[in-house]
Coordinates of all heavy atoms in Angstrom, one line a residue:
R11 N 73.3 -0.3 -92.3 CA 73.4 1.1 -91.7 C 72.9 0.9 -90.2 O 72.4 -0.1 -89.7 CB 72.4 2.0 -92.4 CG 72.6 2.1 -93.9 CD 73.7 3.0 -94.3 NE 73.9 2.9 -95.8 CZ 73.1 3.6 -96.6 NH1 72.2 4.4 -96.2 NH2 73.4 3.6 -97.9
V12 N 73.1 2.0 -89.4 CA 72.6 2.0 -88.1 C 71.1 2.0 -88.1 O 70.4 2.3 -89.1 CB 73.1 3.3 -87.3 CG1 74.6 3.2 -87.1 CG2 72.7 4.6 -88.0
L13 N 70.5 1.8 -86.9 CA 69.0 1.8 -86.8 C 68.6 3.2 -86.4 O 68.9 3.6 -85.2 CB 68.6 0.7 -85.7 CG 67.1 0.6 -85.4 CD1 66.4 0.2 -86.7 CD2 66.9 -0.4 -84.3
P14 N 68.0 4.0 -87.2 CA 67.7 5.3 -86.9 C 66.5 5.5 -86.0 O 65.5 4.7 -86.0 CB 67.3 5.9 -88.3 CG 66.8 4.8 -89.1 CD 67.5 3.6 -88.6
V15 N 66.5 6.5 -85.2 CA 65.4 6.9 -84.3 C 65.1 8.3 -84.6 O 66.0 9.2 -84.7 CB 65.9 6.8 -82.8 CG1 64.7 7.2 -81.9 CG2 66.3 5.3 -82.5
S16 N 63.8 8.6 -84.8 CA 63.4 9.9 -85.3 C 62.2 10.5 -84.7 O 61.4 9.8 -84.1 CB 63.2 9.8 -86.8 OG 62.0 9.0 -87.1
E17 N 62.0 11.8 -84.9 CA 60.8 12.5 -84.4 C 59.6 11.9 -85.1 O 58.5 11.8 -84.4 CB 60.9 14.0 -84.6 CG 59.9 14.8 -84.0 CD 60.0 14.8 -82.5 OE1 61.1 14.9 -81.9 OE2 58.9 14.8 -81.8
R18 N 59.7 11.6 -86.3 CA 58.5 11.1 -87.0 C 57.9 9.8 -86.4 O 56.7 9.7 -86.2 CB 58.9 10.8 -88.5 CG 57.7 10.2 -89.3 CD 58.1 9.9 -90.7 NE 57.0 9.3 -91.5 CZ 57.1 8.8 -92.7 NH1 58.3 8.8 -93.3 NH2 56.0 8.3 -93.3
W19 N 58.8 8.8 -86.1 CA 58.4 7.5 -85.6 C 58.5 7.3 -84.1 O 57.8 6.5 -83.6 CB 59.1 6.4 -86.4 CG 59.0 6.4 -87.8 CD1 60.0 6.7 -88.8 CD2 57.8 6.2 -88.6 NE1 59.5 6.6 -90.0 CE2 58.1 6.3 -90.0 CE3 56.5 5.9 -88.2 CZ2 57.2 6.1 -91.0 CZ3 55.5 5.7 -89.2 CH2 55.9 5.8 -90.6
H20 N 59.3 8.1 -83.5 CA 59.6 7.8 -82.1 C 59.6 9.1 -81.2 O 60.6 9.4 -80.5 CB 61.0 7.1 -81.9 CG 61.2 6.0 -82.9 ND1 62.0 6.2 -84.1 CD2 60.9 4.7 -82.9 CE1 62.0 5.1 -84.7 NE2 61.4 4.2 -84.1
P21 N 58.6 9.9 -81.3 CA 58.6 11.2 -80.7 C 58.8 11.2 -79.1 O 59.4 12.0 -78.6 CB 57.3 11.9 -81.0 CG 56.4 10.7 -81.4 CD 57.3 9.7 -82.0
L22 N 58.2 10.1 -78.5 CA 58.3 10.0 -77.1 C 59.8 9.8 -76.7 O 60.3 10.4 -75.7 CB 57.5 8.9 -76.6 CG 57.4 8.6 -75.0 CD1 56.8 9.8 -74.4 CD2 56.6 7.4 -74.7
L23 N 60.5 9.0 -77.4 CA 61.9 8.7 -77.1 C 62.8 10.0 -77.4 O 63.7 10.3 -76.6 CB 62.4 7.6 -78.0 CG 61.7 6.2 -77.8 CD1 62.3 5.2 -78.6 CD2 61.6 5.8 -76.3
M24 N 62.5 10.7 -78.4 CA 63.3 11.9 -78.8 C 63.2 12.9 -77.7 O 64.1 13.7 -77.4 CB 62.8 12.4 -80.1 CG 63.1 11.5 -81.3 SD 64.8 11.2 -81.6 CE 65.3 12.8 -82.3
R25 N 62.1 13.0 -77.0 CA 61.9 13.9 -75.9 C 62.9 13.7 -74.7 O 63.2 14.5 -73.9 CB 60.5 13.9 -75.4 CG 59.5 14.6 -76.3 CD 58.0 14.4 -75.8 NE 57.9 14.7 -74.4 CZ 56.9 14.3 -73.6 NH1 56.0 13.5 -74.1 NH2 56.8 14.6 -72.3
A26 N 63.3 12.4 -74.6 CA 64.2 12.0 -73.5 C 65.7 12.3 -73.8 O 66.5 12.1 -72.8 CB 63.9 10.5 -73.2
L27 N 66.0 12.7 -75.0 CA 67.5 12.8 -75.2 C 68.1 13.8 -74.2 O 67.6 14.9 -74.0 CB 67.7 13.4 -76.7 CG 67.6 12.4 -77.8 CD1 67.6 13.0 -79.1 CD2 68.8 11.4 -77.7
T28 N 69.2 13.3 -73.6 CA 69.8 14.1 -72.5 C 71.3 14.1 -72.7 O 72.0 13.1 -73.0 CB 69.6 13.3 -71.2 OG1 68.1 13.2 -71.0 CG2 70.2 14.0 -70.0
S29 N 71.9 15.3 -72.6 CA 73.3 15.5 -72.8 C 74.1 15.0 -71.7 O 73.7 14.9 -70.5 CB 73.6 17.0 -73.0 OG 75.0 17.3 -73.1
I30 N 75.4 14.6 -72.0 CA 76.3 14.4 -71.0 C 76.6 15.7 -70.2 O 76.4 16.7 -70.8 CB 77.7 13.8 -71.5 CG1 78.2 14.7 -72.6 CG2 77.5 12.4 -72.0 CD1 79.6 14.3 -73.1
P31 N 77.1 15.6 -69.0 CA 77.5 16.8 -68.3 C 78.8 17.3 -68.8 O 79.5 16.7 -69.7 CB 77.6 16.4 -66.9 CG 78.0 14.9 -67.0 CD 77.3 14.4 -68.2
A32 N 79.3 18.5 -68.4 CA 80.6 19.0 -68.7 C 81.6 17.9 -68.2 O 81.5 17.3 -67.2 CB 80.9 20.3 -68.0
L33 N 82.7 17.7 -69.0 CA 83.7 16.7 -68.7 C 85.1 17.4 -68.7 O 85.3 18.4 -69.3 CB 83.7 15.6 -69.8 CG 82.4 14.8 -70.0 CD1 82.6 13.8 -71.1 CD2 82.0 14.1 -68.7
E34 N 86.0 16.7 -68.0 CA 87.4 17.1 -68.1 C 88.1 16.0 -68.9 O 87.7 14.8 -68.9 CB 88.0 17.2 -66.7 CG 87.5 18.5 -66.0 CD 88.4 18.7 -64.7 OE1 89.1 17.8 -64.3 OE2 88.2 19.8 -64.2
A35 N 89.2 16.3 -69.5 CA 90.1 15.3 -70.1 C 90.4 14.2 -69.1 O 90.7 14.5 -67.9 CB 91.3 15.9 -70.6
G36 N 90.2 13.0 -69.5 CA 90.5 11.8 -68.6 C 89.2 11.2 -68.0 O 89.2 10.1 -67.6
D37 N 88.1 11.9 -68.1 CA 86.8 11.3 -67.8 C 86.4 10.4 -68.9 O 86.8 10.6 -70.1 CB 85.7 12.4 -67.6 CG 85.9 13.3 -66.4 OD1 86.7 12.9 -65.5 OD2 85.3 14.4 -66.4
S38 N 85.6 9.4 -68.6 CA 85.0 8.5 -69.7 C 83.5 8.4 -69.6 O 83.0 8.6 -68.5 CB 85.7 7.1 -69.7 OG 85.4 6.5 -68.4
V39 N 82.8 8.2 -70.7 CA 81.4 8.0 -70.7 C 81.0 6.7 -71.3 O 81.7 6.2 -72.2 CB 80.7 9.2 -71.4 CG1 81.0 10.5 -70.8 CG2 81.1 9.3 -72.9
W40 N 79.9 6.1 -70.8 CA 79.6 4.8 -71.2 C 78.0 4.7 -71.3 O 77.3 5.3 -70.5 CB 80.0 3.8 -70.1 CG 81.5 3.8 -69.8 CD1 82.2 4.7 -69.0 CD2 82.5 3.0 -70.4 NE1 83.5 4.5 -69.0 CE2 83.7 3.5 -69.9 CE3 82.5 2.0 -71.3 CZ2 84.9 2.9 -70.3 CZ3 83.7 1.4 -71.7 CH2 84.9 1.8 -71.2
W41 N 77.6 3.8 -72.3 CA 76.1 3.6 -72.4 C 75.9 2.2 -72.9 O 76.6 1.6 -73.7 CB 75.5 4.7 -73.4 CG 76.0 4.7 -74.8 CD1 75.5 4.1 -75.9 CD2 77.2 5.3 -75.2 NE1 76.2 4.4 -77.0 CE2 77.3 5.1 -76.6 CE3 78.2 6.1 -74.6 CZ2 78.4 5.6 -77.4 CZ3 79.3 6.6 -75.4 CH2 79.3 6.4 -76.8
H42 N 74.9 1.6 -72.3 CA 74.4 0.2 -72.7 C 74.3 0.2 -74.2 O 73.8 1.1 -74.8 CB 73.1 0.0 -72.0 CG 72.4 -1.3 -72.2 ND1 72.0 -1.8 -73.4 CD2 72.1 -2.3 -71.3 CE1 71.5 -3.0 -73.3 NE2 71.5 -3.3 -72.0
Y43 N 74.6 -0.9 -74.8 CA 74.7 -0.9 -76.3 C 73.4 -0.9 -77.0 O 73.3 -0.7 -78.2 CB 75.6 -2.1 -76.8 CG 74.9 -3.4 -77.0 CD1 74.6 -3.8 -78.3 CD2 74.7 -4.3 -76.0 CE1 74.1 -5.0 -78.6 CE2 74.1 -5.5 -76.2 CZ 73.8 -5.9 -77.5 OH 73.2 -7.1 -77.8
D44 N 72.3 -1.0 -76.2 CA 71.0 -0.8 -76.8 C 70.5 0.6 -76.7 O 69.5 1.0 -77.4 CB 69.9 -1.6 -76.1 CG 69.9 -3.1 -76.5 OD1 70.6 -3.5 -77.4 OD2 69.2 -3.9 -75.8
V45 N 71.2 1.4 -76.0 CA 70.7 2.8 -75.7 C 70.9 3.7 -76.9 O 71.9 3.7 -77.6 CB 71.5 3.4 -74.5 CG1 71.4 4.9 -74.4 CG2 71.0 2.8 -73.2
I46 N 69.8 4.5 -77.1 CA 69.8 5.4 -78.2 C 70.7 6.6 -77.9 O 70.7 7.1 -76.8 CB 68.3 6.0 -78.4 CG1 67.3 4.8 -78.7 CG2 68.3 7.1 -79.5 CD1 65.9 5.2 -78.3
H47 N 71.5 7.0 -78.9 CA 72.5 8.0 -78.7 C 72.6 8.9 -80.0 O 72.3 8.5 -81.1 CB 73.8 7.5 -78.2 CG 74.4 6.4 -79.1 ND1 73.9 5.1 -79.2 CD2 75.4 6.5 -80.0 CE1 74.6 4.4 -80.0 NE2 75.6 5.2 -80.5
S48 N 73.1 10.1 -79.7 CA 73.3 11.1 -80.8 C 74.4 12.0 -80.4 O 74.8 12.1 -79.3 CB 72.0 11.8 -81.1 OG 71.6 12.7 -80.0
V49 N 74.8 12.9 -81.4 CA 75.7 14.0 -81.1 C 75.1 15.2 -81.6 O 74.6 15.3 -82.7 CB 77.1 13.7 -81.8 CG1 78.0 14.9 -81.5 CG2 77.7 12.4 -81.3

């Protein structure tokens, strides 16, 4: 499975979750493969 990141074990990291900005079709988004991500 994926490596989960949670409020229980990683509260400091969860506070940093930041949304992508508004996008238009044709824009692309990229993140370092170690970077924590969610939807």
Side-chain angles (χ1 to χ4, degrees):
R11 310 277 176 81
V12 294
L13 181 61
V15 178
S16 67
E17 189 67 40
R18 177 184 180 187
W19 299 115
H20 316 97
L22 184 63
L23 303 182
M24 295 295 286
R25 284 173 51 198
L27 278 169
T28 301
S29 175
I30 55 173
L33 301 176
E34 289 190 348
D37 294 342
S38 62
V39 298
W40 303 85
W41 60 99
H42 183 296
Y43 89 101
D44 281 352
V45 161
I46 300 156
H47 52 287
S48 67
V49 178

